[in-house]
Amino acid sequence: MAEAMQERRTDYGPPHYEQFLPPIIKENYGKWKYHELLKPGVLVHVSESGAKLFTVRAASGRLVSIDKIRMFCDLADKYCDGYMRFTSRHNAEFLLSKSENVDPLIADLAKIGHPIGGIGNAITSIVHTQGWVHCHSAATDASGIVKCVMDDLIEYFEETKLPGKLRIALACCLNMCGAVHCSDIAILGVHRRPPVIDHTKVKKMCEIPNVSASCPTAAIRPATVDGLPSVEVIEDRCMFCANCYTVCPAMPLNDPVNDGVSIWVGGKVSNARHEPMFSKLFIPYIPNNPPRWPEVTTAIRQIVEIWAANANKYERLGEWIERIGWPKFFKMTGVEFQSEHIDDFKHAGLTFKRSTHITF
Amino acid sequence: MAEAMQERRTDYGPPHYEQFLPPIIKENYGKWKYHELLKPGVLVHVSESGAKLFTVRAASGRLVSIDKIRMFCDLADKYCDGYMRFTSRHNAEFLLSKSENVDPLIADLAKIGHPIGGIGNAITSIVHTQGWVHCHSAATDASGIVKCVMDDLIEYFEETKLPGKLRIALACCLNMCGAVHCSDIAILGVHRRPPVIDHTKVKKMCEIPNVSASCPTAAIRPATVDGLPSVEVIEDRCMFCANCYTVCPAMPLNDPVNDGVSIWVGGKVSNARHEPMFSKLFIPYIPNNPPRWPEVTTAIRQIVEIWAANANKYERLGEWIERIGWPKFFKMTGVEFQSEHIDDFKHAGLTFKRSTHITF
Amino acid sequence: MADQLPSTPKLDELEKGKWPSFVTEIKMAAKRSPMAADLLGQLEQSYREKIGYWKHGGIVGVMGYGGGVIGRYSALPKEYPGISHFHTMRINQPAGWFYTSDSLRKICDIWEKHGSGLTNMHGSTGDIILLGCRTEELEPVFDELQKIDFDIGGSGSDLRTPSCCCGMARCEWACYDTMALTHDLTMHYQDELHRPAFPYKFKFKMSGCPNDCVASIARSDLSIIGIWRDEIQIDKAAVTEYAEKGMDIQSDVVNNCPGKCINWDGKEITIDDSFCRHCMHCINVMPKALRPGKDRGAMLLIGSKAPIIEGAFLSSILVPFIKIEPPYTELKDLVDKIWDLWCEEGKNRERVGEFIQRVGLSAFLDEIEVEPIPEMVAHPRENPYVFYEDYEDDDEDDK
Amino acid sequence: MADQLPSTPKLDELEKGKWPSFVTEIKMAAKRSPMAADLLGQLEQSYREKIGYWKHGGIVGVMGYGGGVIGRYSALPKEYPGISHFHTMRINQPAGWFYTSDSLRKICDIWEKHGSGLTNMHGSTGDIILLGCRTEELEPVFDELQKIDFDIGGSGSDLRTPSCCCGMARCEWACYDTMALTHDLTMHYQDELHRPAFPYKFKFKMSGCPNDCVASIARSDLSIIGIWRDEIQIDKAAVTEYAEKGMDIQSDVVNNCPGKCINWDGKEITIDDSFCRHCMHCINVMPKALRPGKDRGAMLLIGSKAPIIEGAFLSSILVPFIKIEPPYTELKDLVDKIWDLWCEEGKNRERVGEFIQRVGLSAFLDEIEVEPIPEMVAHPRENPYVFYEDYEDDDEDDK
Ligand code: SRM
Ligand code: SRM
Ligand code: SRM
Ligand code: SRM
Ligand code: SF4
Ligand code: SF4
Ligand code: SF4
Ligand code: SF4
Ligand code: SF4
Ligand code: SF4
Ligand code: SF4
Ligand code: SF4
């Protein structure tokens, strides 16, 4: 066995990217001079050499079957000499050296149900996570909400009529695998009920000191329950982060009645104009309402539209809110400001308004 | 005795201010329309009624003898119908209804050694504390440094040639009675050696649990030393705040070799333009060098002059530094950036530079 | 008596230069007072040896008062017997620090008789500081102060002496009567001021406008800062006058406006007041042409303090706008609620700002029955650690 | 086999609308795979009952690797036996997510044979996610992947699969070769990637410029972001062209510059590069006319992560500028020092950013032998709690 392992090939790493680059890219690698947005979803990059590369960006739901991948491959073969890529936000990108292939490709993409867009001042696809499709922690589904929100916002994907880019992300629990903490709009699955402890399993499945230590608010302490070594949760101190559940399967938080999503706004990642910003809590809680989550789609459309109607050119959502001030934003959207909006974690004091700089 | 107390008058409060207001102020109370700076140190306020009030602001060292107060009284009688006031920064202000009295008053003030100024785009007197004159905690003297710095900067008090206001404050220890934490330039007395514990006195003079609890960095723990109940200090964790000494006289930090001052810059209080800001550490340590503290006066003059030469009109020191960036400010002043400058207290992470927004 | 002055070669250096010299002041007093002379001597020694010579203070005071006197003893009483006791008396100043020469002279007379003859005009909190008094002289000083109607200020864990900017007395921007409020609160809270019963000190400071000339936002547990909520008043003719006299309105005024809400077309200024951040800059620069609006009152901000122990705080908005009119009932009710809660639940030596940060602003608001509003925060929370209110039990789950 | 699909009235709602439907994808796969069909069934139940039905994962894997597989089991294995095991395999993507149809088809073939036929293209860290595999199929999958040269990615407390923007392959702004660096680091650190030995996960992300198209500043323990340090290149003719075509250069470009360092006189643009903050905005708006300078490299920022446990962090500057050229020795040396220290002193489940905040940035820099510089902070400390270095003993006091 040890021998078998010795022989076995490991750690050879991913294939070298070079073999996957279309010739036009290899030739012009590092020599691109500028780009233009030809129309929604279609870019051209022009090289120092004069060569032109056309990019067509097609929507993707990210959760794709091998059937779909094969369809993409067929299109890549047909129009792109067999090359394609995916983007950092999981869209499919087709790289063409021939401009005359652009429209036929788009037509074929439409046939298999993949609109193009998401480039320039648009909304692109939603970075998201597993949800009920695969994760044990999920407080909500991921792909389902994403589908509903994007169905609703499709016009902003297919056109470029917004003041600037708007990025949406979703994570189905506070682990935030979608790294939603710096998005223009973030949808975050939340639990709202403390862990339900299975005292018969704690000792078996979990290391009690680790469990106690895992709680950011020190809500967990060792306890003997019904004669069994276990833990107890001081419910008042629990803010439902589920970190205990991550380290101890005997403490699930999932709950059909109390789980749901929260909406966060005003984050950004790029350094363009304003430094990167975290997203801020906007709607503390919306109950899960599958299959179409109408309250979520309505709330998000409202945010997008108010921003689109009022922001200056290039002004990201967070930049705009910062300019007009949060009180105005709450007023314009009609969302009620509640105690949940006020930070009470470690650096809370620094989020208090420490000046007279307000508007009336 | 209890009876005597009963009879004794207490809690009658300060005299009502109205009896101290000159007639012109009583008549125009709340009716002032605008003001103008007539010349350095002299303001005129014009009322809706057309009445004019002249203010002459005279420097004060704050620590004044009754002899000096009596001299002020004589001037008040001579020129101001017997009225005068002091300012929130401890200068003496003379309020005149007759413009022809202004210059003679100024001349008389000069005779008793009180220059006028500090109004408008100037440096006014230094808010400060007790120092070696009165406080047990002092890591440096207060009045002495203030005198030296103001002697050196007198031109900026007597003239209005700066881009904006510049406020200096001094506190002789971290208790910061001068509230120096929001000053354009702050001078702060610092200890740099952990408390020297007199174990024979701890138990007698202090409550051990209170002492342990007083330490922000949990550097103090109860201990038995030479058979006596006392405390010990984990020196590595001590950052010399002296809070333990405040609650326990048996733990002094005062030390002739290690005490000294630190210089902080860029704070402000007013809401004008920029929100209020805290001062930031600039020079971590300058040894006490009485009687004239030449290193301190030199450092402060340099800061003032570099700011004066480079800031835009109205731009306070902190606003200017924020615009050009701290790296440039360190470069321009030649002060070395050191580990002490990097925050390592509670909210340290929020002071780290979390973007690519730097200049080269 | 001048020949009795100790030799002070170091301190003499501090009589040079143009700024008024505290050494000269001490020497003046020392001509009459042996206390001041011994202060000179000890201070010279401090200057020589680079260390203070004061002992950690003890508790001394005046009958019927729990504070107002800071006990102080020299660590070198044998060398400097005059300052073996050298206590400070904090005397509550009249609002706005206005005086008549008559009242000042009376104070001086008392202090000549019973104290060192040295003062601070004023202390950093605002009191008249009578610097240097023997224990046995405290009562006599108070006795005489009573006769001239000056009372003692705060110290220890009590309300500290409130102070304010000159406001309506001398300034055109005062949005409420700072001196009237200061006097009223001081009188109303005499018991809290004189008998320490709080977890720690509590300070009020009143500024008439956001220029904040008493630094209330940085130095008071409750900062009361004047503000208006309607339109800035514009005098067009005066604007023209400034422009004609050479003011560059675009760069001096417009470009510095943090609300980016001023427009200058070369002839007229217009302000979109709905974006005005009430910073005062434009008004400061053009006092003849611009004035705060007419609907005036104050903003209440809570919690500022020096760094010990949680780090320095600035006050933060508690009530964005409140009318400030006698008898100030709304304000006092709020103050009482805050104190009740803090006295009940605050820890020893925990300032109200630290208390709020410990229990959370939301929880604090809840207890004092103030609704949370977005004006209280720079922005909503960034972390997802939300203490949601009650959850629903499974039993109720019948959907 | 279509008739074997469970009835999914709720999920069917998600086949409506224009955005590509994941339900349609699962149904496509379900036509062939009973695993996908059972996934449909369980998911429909989740949609009905508003709760997920997955068990807390167990440890499963591939021989010789300590990570790369996420164990997953249905909580309802009786109802949905096809997904009683439903593990994820994370496959290391090629840098920049470029593929040939040939390579993709080969992956599909393997996954058709051994797995559910469902994937994520890609996971949020960047891997190819093969979604749904039985324990006994893991080895066979790996066996076949070997043959087509695809290797496993990271999971657990190890280096996670590095990822990067398309950089020089498709973008004119790449200040260094992101794909080359990503591939090199991935190969160099195969052991760290495959055998968890860290206190917790560690992520690299490489962006070619401050637009940061892989969100590295928010999502990676070490963010490597391209930047230049000389002057922005200006093509005057192209500027004129933009202006003529109607761009309002003053309001679109100049007024949005955070460094306030661009001047437009109606004819020419000039930039005071010494104030440029490298934000990219002007270049983004005028790609034909403006380009990053020629002296290019990268900035290293450290410590970003999701909220658990200390709250979310953004990366902060560690090295403002470093040349990025093979064999990247300086960079690797630095990474090794950081890992050595963090592995030695980091607590279990403590990300490097949390570690730095716990021990203090200065102390951290000291250990990894990097000099502190002002570029690392937004501003120097505001609190006076300074840990001064060694004090002098009294004995030395002979002044
Ligand atoms: C393809 C992709 C990189 C990749 O290797 O996969 C990419 C490609 C380009 N980005 Fe990006 N960005 C991509 C993700 C991002 C991200 C990451 C993210 O969203 O998670 C960001 C940071 C977002 C944020 O700040 O929250 C990002 C922030 C930008 C910006 C800054 C926009 C701003 O004003 O803040 C620009 C500049 C611009 O658009 O003017 C930019 C510009 C560009 C350019 C124009 C660069 C070029 O010359 O090729 C590319 C096409 C623009 C477009 O999509 O509008 N790219 N870009 C990613 C496409 C994702 C997608 O499918 O939609
Ligand atoms: C007399 C005094 C109030 C009092 O009741 O005692 C006062 C009086 C005035 N202040 Fe003040 N300020 C006084 C302390 C302050 C303070 C408090 C402090 O320094 O501790 C501040 C906040 C300082 C800070 O931000 O750090 C202060 C920030 C201002 C400002 C805002 C300046 C800025 O650009 O940030 C103005 C507006 C201006 O000067 O244009 C102002 C304006 C004024 C005006 C013009 C108001 C008026 O119309 O009467 C007065 C004379 C101006 C001058 O001195 O230049 N006053 N002023 C205080 C004089 C102190 C002294 O002796 O020098
Ligand atoms: C006299 C005065 C300084 C001065 O020279 O003006 C003063 C002097 C002392 N202060 Fe203060 N504080 C004085 C205003 C302040 C201020 C400024 C203010 O009120 O605007 C502050 C900062 C603002 C604040 O309240 O945070 C201040 C923050 C402190 C602190 C730190 C409190 C904190 O919560 O951080 C202490 C330590 C303590 O309370 O134990 C302190 C303690 C002290 C003690 C009593 C020393 C002690 O630990 O026992 C000092 C007595 C010195 C002496 O022997 O004369 N003093 N102290 C000021 C009072 C004069 C007056 O009544 O008018
Ligand atoms: C698959 C993926 C989500 C997705 O749908 O794309 C994922 C899925 C999981 N993540 Fe994640 N994370 C994924 C990218 C991320 C990211 C985003 C990134 O890498 O850019 C983050 C935020 C950035 C960061 O690293 O902080 C992320 C932050 C977490 C955390 C919180 C870590 C923290 O330090 O705060 C956890 C909890 C943990 O580690 O115990 C976690 C844990 C998990 C676990 C393993 C659940 C668990 O506690 O055991 C999830 C398995 C789900 C499942 O059954 O499939 N995942 N996780 C992503 C990996 C795919 C890939 O390899 O490409
Ligand atoms: S965000 Fe939470 S629920 Fe969603 S995939 Fe990550 S760990 Fe699972
Ligand atoms: S969910 Fe979070 S806060 Fe609640 S007990 Fe578990 S670890 Fe603690
Ligand atoms: S700052 Fe410190 S040393 Fe100075 S008076 Fe206040 S408590 Fe005393
Ligand atoms: S000086 Fe401050 S940090 Fe040092 S032991 Fe005393 S209380 Fe603690
Ligand atoms: S705070 Fe405002 S009202 Fe008071 S003196 Fe200063 S400028 Fe005038
Ligand atoms: S007060 Fe300040 S924010 Fe308001 S208009 Fe004037 S400058 Fe602008
Ligand atoms: S990060 Fe910069 S270099 Fe990379 S794709 Fe985005 S814009 Fe281009
Ligand atoms: S990159 Fe940004 S900061 Fe630099 S000149 Fe352009 S807009 Fe200004």
Side-chain angles (χ1 to χ4, degrees), chain B residues 8 11 67-68 77 346, chain C residues 25 32 63 101 195 310:
Chain B
R8 198 150 161 273
D11 295 357
D67 310 81
K68 178 58 58 60
D77 286 346
K346 304 207 165 166
Chain C
E25 299 292 324
R32 225 178 306 99
M63 262 199 310
S101 50
R195 272 157 293 272
E310 295 290 328

Side-chain angles (χ1 to χ4, degrees), chain B residues 247-270:
Chain B
V247 305
C248 179
M251 298 177 73
L253 283 92
N254 297 350
D255 181 273
V257 187
N258 296 290
D259 288 352
V261 303
S262 53
I263 308 282
W264 303 67
V265 300
K268 77 191 276 282
V269 163
S270 82

Side-chain angles (χ1 to χ4, degrees), chain D residues 228 232 253 256-262 271 275-283:
Chain D
W228 67 98
I232 290 177
V253 184
N256 280 317
C257 167
K260 299 198 192 314
C261 57
I262 311 182
I271 300 181
F275 280 91
C276 170
R277 297 200 182 170
H278 303 86
C279 85
M280 288 297 293
H281 176 75
C282 59
I283 300 173

Side-chain angles (χ1 to χ4, degrees), chain B residues 129-131 135-139 171-178:
Chain B
T129 50
Q130 297 296 336
C135 195
H136 65 291
S137 268
C172 26
C173 86
L174 267 55
N175 279 335
M176 284 205 192
C177 296

